[in-house]
Amino acid sequence: MWTLKNKNRFAAIATAVLLVISVSTFSQPVTKGTLGSKVVVFTLEGINVLDSSYPASVVQVTVSYFGTYTLLGSSMQLKITCGNSTYTTDPVSLGSWRPSTQKIATFTVDTTKLSSNCQSEIVISWSDSWDDSLKMNTGYGGTTSLDTTLTACWGEQLQVSLNPQPTYLSSVNPVFLTVVNSGQSSVDNLVITIIPQGSLLLNTSIPTVLEVGRLDPGMKKSLPLQIIPQSNFPSLAVTLSYTDCMGNKKTSSLQIPFYATTGQSILVVPEPSVLASGQASNVNLKVINAGNVPIKNLNIILSLQKSPLSISPAMLSIGDLRPGEVKTISISVSVPTTASSSETVSYQALYTVEGGGVVNTAGTFSFYIAQTSRVTITSTDIVPQSPQVGGNVIVAVGLINDGSFPVYGVNVSATASQGLAPLRSTYTYLGQLNPQVLTSLPFSFKATLEGVQEVKFIVTYRDAYGRVMNTERTVLINVSPATTSSSTQQASNFRDNSLLIALTLIIIVAVAFAAYRRRAKK
């Protein structure tokens, strides 16, 4: 006879067979164990690097669970071992985990402690489990782990420069094109393609193709070139093609400007030449006698045409300059947010030379405007304002990108003091945040200690130029001790109701007695 006991035994055998089949067919890392008398299986579906920036990166892990019971209070943690050092992330709370479902956890890791190829351990824990058939907790908690390899190109960055500067017009100038790997990972099969603009390259084809090969972190290579400038401000269009540490083919392009002077000329070079929009900056103007004759009583007049920049002072007194001599003058440059990506400043140089009169030469130099992108914490809201011990409190933080360009890799983390226990993840990865878009993120905690507690919010992001930036805000929360206000209120309500009932009874009795007396008189 087919009894309920036989049915349960058959279901257990069928589940075990299915789990064994699933383990044998997966090529991903799999761990198998038991929960009570039941078989459980965890399968790593994927480990992906969402953002490999420096110094913080984001790794996403996807795991499937197969078993009989629903796991309660589950969490996931990532341990990364590179060489002799191990980096462990904070655990990510996953909540309840039903059989035959996937869970995805996102971790923020410190890339300064990682190499390109590391061994990783994914630790899964749960505090209890639930039996759907019996509608009760089993009391079975546990921990297991999955081993895998994490490969990524952390903080990849190549820099190219041209030396020496300045060069001379209509002359053969021997220079060096230097490429530096300032990132944390190696690049292979590096090929540099060069197209001159406003100049000529000797003894080479156009475009010029230079094969560099492998470039390890910190390494640099200098490649000799011969350039004949044909304008005062020539440049080189450079394209870098390479294979990253994961075998992906990548290409990046950049423009390298340089300067060219005549035999007798005054050259003005700004440092820095890149200015941030929406603020005033101090700039050093390097005034160079690029000719081969001494000049005296040099004065430079700066002028702006159809440019929103503001420069002070506009007239500079330099004095005498020997051939090749450099003098530095400081100016203040105010850049509005409406400035374009490049602004040109014209100058006139007035001076005298030996055996001659006053000489008037003109030239220009350019400022490159970097559009600012910054994330501002606009507000923090606490609900309730004065939580009690044992109660929950929600802190919502409002963000906005105040710049004119999007920001990328936005990650918001909340660190609470000892008296506030997090109820869910303490960070949120937003990715891209567009300009002037207001975003609000809630973080929930349970108050465990009375007194003034604090929550520190840190927003980490990258601007349009790849610079890593952060914004911080600390919120104070006054946690009061637990009270019995609800029971006191109920008692007060009971007393009020009793008095009302008694007063009503007195009125009823008085009315009945008056009616009785009227009948008696009749």
Side-chain angles (χ1 to χ4, degrees):
M1 185 175 180
W2 185 255
T3 63
L4 179 61
K5 182 176 181 181
N6 292 331
K7 291 182 180 178
N8 292 337
R9 183 179 302 169
F10 178 78
I13 295 174
T15 301
V17 171
L18 289 175
L19 291 174
V20 171
I21 293 174
S22 64
V23 170
S24 63
T25 56
F26 280 126
S27 59
Q28 301 96 325
V30 176
T31 182
K32 177 183 175 183
T34 58
L35 192 59
S37 61
K38 308 296 184 180
V39 178
V40 293
V41 173
F42 293 90
T43 303
L44 177 63
E45 302 294 349
I47 179 167
N48 303 310
V49 178
L50 300 183
D51 183 3
S52 60
S53 58
Y54 181 90
S57 179
V58 177
V59 178
Q60 180 177 280
V61 178
T62 304
V63 176
S64 294
Y65 160 63
F66 301 93
T68 303
Y69 303 133
T70 298
L71 307 183
L72 303 179
S74 63
S75 64
M76 193 182 302
Q77 192 175 29
L78 183 62
K79 294 183 179 180
I80 305 175
T81 302
C82 301
N84 296 324
S85 61
T86 300
Y87 174 75
T88 304
T89 66
D90 294 332
V92 174
S93 177
L94 303 177
S96 61
W97 195 345
R98 296 192 62 81
S100 303
T101 62
Q102 292 182 352
K103 288 288 186 178
I104 299 177
T106 305
F107 303 92
T108 300
V109 298
D110 184 357
T111 56
T112 61
K113 302 178 181 180
L114 304 181
S115 59
S116 59
N117 197 321
C118 302
Q119 295 299 316
S120 301
E121 180 184 5
I122 301 163
V123 180
I124 303 170
S125 304
W126 61 97
S127 59
D128 201 349
S129 55
W130 175 265
D131 190 334
D132 284 336
S133 62
L134 299 178
K135 304 299 181 183
M136 62 179 294
N137 289 4
T138 65
Y140 297 139
T143 300
T144 188
S145 62
L146 294 160
D147 295 328
T148 186
T149 301
L150 179 61
T151 304
C153 303
W154 311 109
E156 182 181 293
Q157 187 174 8
L158 294 176
Q159 295 178 331
V160 182
S161 60
L162 189 68
N163 293 293
Q165 293 192 35
T167 58
Y168 296 94
L169 277 168
S170 304
S171 301
V172 178
N173 295 265
V175 296
F176 287 93
L177 185 75
T178 302
V179 56
V180 180
N181 184 354
S182 56
Q184 290 185 285
S185 58
S186 301
V187 299
D188 286 308
N189 307 318
L190 175 60
V191 176
I192 302 177
T193 304
I194 305 172
I195 299 177
Q197 297 175 348
S199 62
L200 296 176
L201 289 177
L202 296 183
N203 304 321
T204 185
S205 60
I206 301 298
T208 301
V209 179
L210 305 175
E211 296 184 0
V212 179
R214 182 180 177 86
L215 206 61
D216 292 323
M219 287 183 59
K220 69 178 181 179
K221 286 192 178 181
S222 296
L223 308 170
L225 298 173
Q226 289 185 316
I227 295 180
I228 301 178
Q230 295 179 316
S231 68
N232 288 328
F233 297 96
S235 63
L236 298 179
V238 177
T239 301
L240 304 174
S241 302
Y242 59 92
T243 305
D244 66 11
C245 68
M246 297 182 67
N248 300 316
K249 292 184 178 181
K250 294 187 177 180
T251 300
S252 62
S253 300
L254 65 154
Q255 201 80 11
I256 304 178
F258 58 100
Y259 305 98
T261 66
T262 60
Q264 297 177 3
S265 66
I266 299 300
L267 184 65
V268 179
V269 180
E271 288 189 358
S273 61
V274 179
L275 304 179
S277 65
Q279 65 184 48
S281 302
N282 292 325
V283 176
N284 292 325
L285 290 183
K286 291 194 172 184
V287 182
I288 307 169
N289 181 359
N292 49 19
V293 295
I295 60 176
K296 297 181 178 181
N297 302 321
L298 172 61
N299 290 279
I300 293 180
I301 302 174
L302 305 177
S303 62
L304 297 168
Q305 295 182 355
K306 298 181 180 180
S307 173
L309 301 185
S310 175
I311 296 179
S312 178
M315 184 172 180
L316 310 175
S317 180
I318 309 300
D320 299 343
L321 279 179
R322 299 184 303 273
E325 186 179 359
V326 180
K327 285 189 176 180
T328 301
I329 301 295
S330 180
I331 63 172
S332 176
V333 182
S334 298
V335 184
T337 56
T338 56
S340 62
S341 59
S342 176
E343 297 289 347
T344 300
V345 180
S346 301
Y347 64 87
Q348 284 186 320
L350 303 175
Y351 57 92
T352 60
V353 295
E354 294 180 358
V358 177
V359 180
N360 182 357
T361 61
T364 61
F365 60 87
S366 297
F367 286 115
Y368 299 93
I369 310 304
Q371 298 295 332
T372 57
S373 298
R374 59 182 177 270
V375 176
T376 301
I377 298 178
T378 58
S379 64
T380 53
D381 297 318
I382 306 172
V383 179
Q385 286 288 337
S386 299
Q388 297 181 359
V389 173
N392 297 338
V393 59
I394 298 176
V395 184
V397 57
L399 309 176
I400 192 171
N401 177 3
D402 286 336
S404 54
F405 276 67
V407 294
Y408 306 92
V410 180
N411 187 78
V412 184
S413 62
T415 303
S417 55
Q418 186 177 3
L420 296 173
L423 294 177
R424 64 184 189 90
S425 176
T426 56
Y427 64 89
T428 301
Y429 179 74
L430 294 178
Q432 178 175 322
L433 187 60
N434 292 322
Q436 306 306 317
V437 175
L438 184 62
T439 302
S440 181
L441 301 174
F443 293 85
S444 56
F445 305 89
K446 182 176 184 179
T448 58
L449 295 176
E450 65 177 283
V452 177
Q453 308 297 331
E454 67 176 35
V455 181
K456 183 177 182 182
F457 294 100
I458 300 178
V459 184
T460 304
Y461 58 95
R462 287 181 290 112
D463 65 7
Y465 304 96
R467 296 175 296 187
V468 177
M469 309 174 75
N470 62 73
T471 301
E472 297 183 2
R473 174 77 68 88
T474 299
V475 178
L476 299 180
I477 301 174
N478 186 19
V479 179
S480 58
T483 63
T484 58
S485 59
S486 60
S487 59
T488 304
Q489 182 65 31
Q490 291 176 358
S492 177
N493 294 338
F494 179 77
R495 287 194 299 271
D496 294 340
N497 292 336
S498 299
L499 291 174
L500 181 60
I501 293 172
L503 182 59
T504 302
L505 291 175
I506 292 173
I507 294 173
I508 293 173
V509 170
V511 171
F513 181 74
Y516 172 76
R517 292 190 63 182
R518 284 197 297 270
R519 291 193 193 96
K521 289 180 180 180
K522 290 180 181 180

